[in-house]
Amino acid sequence: MSAIFVILEENGGHISRISWEALAAGTALAEQTSLPLHAVVIGSSTEALAAEAAAKQVAAVIRIEHALLNAYTPDGWTSALHQFLTANPATYVIFPHTYQVRDYAPALAARMNQVLIGDVTGIAAGPVFTRQLLQGRLNGSYKHASDGPCFVSVQAGAFRADALAVGSASVTTFAPTIEPSQIRTKPGAPFRASAQTVDLSSAPLIVSVGRGIKEADNLPLVQDLAAALGAELAASRPICDNGWLPMERQVGSSGQTVAPKLYLAVGISGAIQHLVGMKASQCIVAINKDPDAPIFEVADYGIVGDLFEVVPALTEAIKSAK
């Protein structure tokens, strides 16, 4: 019987957050298609990762194990998954949309005479996969039409990992045949981003400020609001470009992608580059004096007004309610 396989990645010795989001996408697809959902971990010693995955509601967890998979290489991952998918028919193969996946998944899909539908943001009935084009200006809809497996990678923040149900799945091992001569690259040290004082992607509450704040001296206005809510402070690109807040607090296509429970946008017009980074938020509240600001198109609640009047009143109301 065919199945859905979700390929999970490791980060710091644990399953990465975006991998859990890919599993959430696989769960949604399984509910729609009634196909069994399986999680896959790859490496040379994946017992701990498999145990993490087995604690989620999946039909089974598969450990793809080989000594040459100790460190990531595109040749190793492509060969191992090609052998696995040849032996285990798949209808859908779901990946997190990471740099690593972008490195090997297109080659894997091509080896199996398929294409990769990359950076998917939604799965509709059909199933039909949605991905953004031209930095989010357009949405494209794709439906798999061939006989082979459908390869899909999902955008960070598009699916909610906290919706995953707990479970207790069985774990099996698949041992591919890989020769040292097949690995044409020598693994280097893993890429490490510069240290950040805040990970906005994991923040449940975010207050984000845009150019409507006018000048850096006015930032305490929104800082007080964030403090009252117990939220992280974020910003649109102009604020960070001006040096008013550090770049690590930027949300958008050239910053962080976030999906908090609450995203409060203060003085942000809603350029498409910013919307790409936050429109997966559970609840979006926008404060802007321009009733035609694009931010209101994605907002769940909108306040048309002067932020210099609205924000202090909102801050005081929150403090009074505590």
Side-chain angles (χ1 to χ4, degrees):
M1 180 179 178
S2 193
I4 300 168
F5 292 103
V6 180
I7 313 303
L8 306 178
E9 283 189 12
E10 173 269 342
N11 183 20
H14 296 280
I15 302 296
S16 66
R17 177 188 58 82
I18 188 174
S19 289
W20 293 131
E21 293 173 359
L23 189 62
T27 300
L29 189 58
E31 291 173 352
Q32 185 181 139
T33 62
S34 298
L35 290 168
L37 177 67
H38 300 265
V40 178
V41 294
I42 307 173
S44 62
S45 298
T46 58
E47 295 89 347
L49 297 179
E52 275 192 81
K56 303 299 182 183
Q57 196 172 80
V58 294
V61 177
I62 300 95
R63 297 167 54 202
I64 299 181
E65 292 271 346
H66 196 284
L68 292 174
L69 299 175
N70 181 54
Y72 166 74
T73 62
D75 289 328
W77 257 239
T78 300
S79 177
L81 280 169
H82 181 229
Q83 292 177 52
F84 172 75
L85 293 171
T86 300
N88 298 273
T91 303
Y92 299 97
V93 183
I94 311 295
F95 305 88
H97 191 73
T98 63
Y99 288 114
Q100 183 170 295
V101 164
R102 280 177 271 185
D103 188 39
Y104 77 86
L108 172 64
R111 187 173 293 191
M112 301 191 74
N113 296 315
Q114 302 297 322
V115 297
L116 173 69
I117 306 174
D119 221 7
V120 165
T121 59
I123 303 174
V128 174
F129 301 96
T130 300
R131 64 187 300 269
Q132 297 175 333
L133 307 172
L134 301 175
Q135 289 192 315
R137 290 180 174 84
L138 296 174
N139 284 335
S141 297
Y142 302 81
K143 188 171 183 179
H144 187 59
S146 70
D147 295 329
C150 177
F151 293 90
V152 174
S153 69
V154 298
Q155 185 183 98
F159 297 87
R160 300 206 60 86
D162 56 11
L164 290 172
V166 298
S168 180
S170 62
V171 179
T172 59
T173 302
F174 178 84
T177 301
I178 307 174
E179 299 297 331
S181 60
Q182 293 177 260
I183 310 299
R184 297 171 295 176
T185 56
K186 182 179 180 181
F191 170 76
R192 297 187 182 278
S194 58
Q196 294 184 335
T197 59
V198 61
D199 177 15
L200 294 177
S201 64
S202 63
L205 305 173
I206 293 177
V207 173
S208 195
V209 60
R211 71 173 82 221
I213 200 67
K214 295 183 179 179
E215 57 186 45
D217 290 343
N218 294 327
L219 281 177
L221 202 68
V222 289
Q223 289 171 331
D224 288 346
L225 175 58
L229 281 169
E232 288 288 353
L233 183 65
S236 61
R237 181 170 181 171
I239 300 300
C240 297
D241 281 349
N242 287 337
W244 297 354
L245 286 174
M247 295 301 296
E248 62 193 29
R249 292 193 177 270
Q250 180 184 328
V251 169
S253 58
S254 55
Q256 295 198 51
T257 298
V258 301
K261 294 180 179 178
L262 171 66
Y263 189 88
L264 180 49
V266 179
I268 293 175
S269 62
I272 188 62
Q273 293 83 355
H274 185 78
L275 298 184
V276 165
M278 48 64 74
K279 66 183 195 177
S281 304
Q282 286 188 32
C283 180
I284 300 171
V285 178
I287 302 171
N288 200 293
K289 66 181 180 181
D290 180 6
D292 297 319
I295 191 69
F296 289 125
E297 295 178 12
V298 299
D300 298 286
Y301 302 94
I303 302 173
V304 178
D306 187 341
L307 71 86
F308 295 100
E309 297 176 0
V310 174
V311 171
L314 185 58
T315 302
E316 287 305 313
I318 292 168
K319 290 180 178 178
S320 299
K322 287 187 174 182

